[in-house]
Amino acid sequence: MPADGLVLFAHGARDARWAEPFAAVAARIQARRPDLAVVLAFLEHMAPDLPAALADLEGRGVTRVRVVPLFFGRGGHLRDDFPHILEAARRKSPRLVVEVTPAAGEDEAVQEALADFALRAPQGG
Amino acid sequence: MPADGLVLFAHGARDARWAEPFAAVAARIQARRPDLAVVLAFLEHMAPDLPAALADLEGRGVTRVRVVPLFFGRGGHLRDDFPHILEAARRKSPRLVVEVTPAAGEDEAVQEALADFALRAPQGG
C-alpha cells in the first residue's frame, strides 16, 4: 500500500472530456512515481470532491497527502471556497497529514511553459 | 507598429488578482518577442472580451493575430461558447487574419510542466 498520496484538485466541468488533460497529468506523475497514490478531485460538476478523494486515499492506507490545485489563478474558488473544502476534508480524514501547494499558475516554470506554448503552438484550436 | 499580435484568452474571474498569472505569462512572451503586440482577453467577468481585444489590436495596425486559449480542458466554454465569440470577433475585425491554437492544457509540454510542478512544489497553498 502506498503511504503517500497526491491529489490533483481541479475545477470540474459538465463535459467529461474537460478532465482529459488532468488525467494525462496524473498519468505522467504516476509513471514517474509508481509509489504514490495519484488521484483527481474536483471543486464542482465532477466526482470525487476533495473530502471523498482524501477519504478514499485514507481507506487505501495512505497517511500523507499532497494536494495540488491545478488552477491558473487564485480567485474566489481558491481564496474563499477551497479553505472550507479543505477543512471539511481534514475533518473527515483527521489522521491524514495533508499538505497543500500553491496554485499551478503561480509557478514560474509553469508560466514559462505556457509562454513557450503560446509562441510555438500550431494552429488548430 | 507591430504587424503581429498575440492574445492570451482566459476565463476571467471576479477577483482582479486572479489575472496575475496571465499577466505574468504575457510579460514573459513580450520579453521574448518585443515585436509582438501581446494582450489578454477574457471570456467573462474581466475586460476586454475577445472582440474588443482584436478590434484594439487592429486599431494599432496589427494585421495578423494568434489567439491562445489559456484553459486546461476543453469543456463547454471552449467547445460551445468560444466559436461564437471568435465569430463575433472576426465579424468586428474582418481584415484581421486570426489563427487559433489548441487549449494550453492539451499540450504535452504543458502537461509535463504541471506534472513536474505537482511533484516539486513547496507546501504553502
Side-chain angles (χ1 to χ4, degrees), chain A residues 28 66 100 107 112 120-121 124, chain B residues 28 66 100 107 112 121 124:
Chain A
R28 282 173 186 275
R66 151 176 290 226
V100 181
D107 181 69
E112 188 66 19
R120 73 170 158 72
Chain B
R28 281 173 187 275
R66 151 175 288 227
V100 181
D107 183 70
E112 189 64 19

Side-chain angles (χ1 to χ4, degrees), chain A residues 62-83:
Chain A
V62 167
T63 55
R64 288 175 303 185
V65 174
R66 151 176 290 226
V67 178
V68 183
L70 287 193
F71 285 68
F72 285 120
R74 286 174 63 81
H77 287 320
L78 285 190
R79 291 184 194 276
D80 305 327
D81 304 337
F82 182 61

Side-chain angles (χ1 to χ4, degrees), chain A residues 42-64:
Chain A
F42 300 96
L43 178 70
E44 59 189 26
H45 301 307
M46 290 174 161
D49 61 15
L50 189 64
L54 293 195
D56 170 63
L57 288 173
E58 192 177 34
R60 292 159 60 188
V62 167
T63 55
R64 288 175 303 185

Side-chain angles (χ1 to χ4, degrees), chain A residues 8-27:
Chain A
L8 299 178
F9 179 66
H11 186 282
R14 289 184 181 81
D15 189 326
R17 295 169 292 185
W18 182 86
E20 288 168 5
F22 300 97
V25 172

